[in-house]
Each structure stands twice: as C-alpha cells, then as structure tokens.
Amino acid sequence: YEDGYNKGSADGYSKGSADGYSKGSTDGYLEGITAGISNLISTLQELHLSRAETLAKIQEKYDLSAEDSENYMSKYWKV
C-alpha cells in the first residue's frame, strides 16, 4: 500500500509540475507579446503614425489577423 501511495504521489507531483511549468511558460510568453504590442502602438502613436498605419504595422510585425490587430488597437490606442 505504502509503495503504491508513494509512487502515485511522485507521479502526480511530476505531472503537476510539468503542467504548471508549461502553463507558466505559455502565460509568460503571451504577457511578453502583449507588452511588446502595447509598447509598439504607443511608440508609433508618439511618432504620429495614423491609427491605420499603426494597425498595419502591428499586424505585419506580429503576424496578427485583422480582428486581433483591431482588438489590440482598441485596447491600447490612446484617443
């Protein structure tokens, strides 16, 4: 019984650790991309690029769909 419990605990811990690491890595990567897009929008706006030009740039640089690009613009473009 004790050997089975210890093996199950070790297997559960290993799987939980691997899952947690994977999720943390993915979350961190997405946060970095979002920060980069936000900073690019802000910089291009400061350089007086139009909203349309900025939208095209983030779509090009980050290989985003038109919908995703527009969502980022709606969130980070300062009016």
Side-chain angles (χ1 to χ4, degrees):
Y1 167 78
E2 201 169 306
D3 287 342
Y5 174 80
N6 288 337
K7 181 176 178 353
S9 291
D11 289 349
Y13 178 81
S14 293
K15 179 164 178 16
S17 293
D19 290 349
Y21 178 80
S22 177
K23 181 171 178 1
S25 293
T26 300
D27 289 351
Y29 174 79
L30 293 175
E31 285 177 19
I33 293 295
T34 299
I37 293 170
S38 170
N39 288 333
L40 180 58
I41 291 170
S42 177
T43 299
L44 295 177
Q45 192 170 16
E46 287 174 7
L47 293 172
H48 305 289
L49 268 72
S50 70
R51 191 179 193 286
E53 290 169 319
T54 301
L55 179 78
K57 280 291 181 194
I58 65 167
Q59 194 168 355
E60 171 193 336
K61 297 295 182 186
Y62 286 93
D63 195 27
L64 298 172
S65 68
E67 181 181 357
D68 287 343
S69 298
E70 186 55 50
N71 288 338
Y72 281 114
M73 290 295 293
S74 294
K75 189 171 185 177
Y76 298 112
W77 184 263
K78 296 176 182 116
V79 181

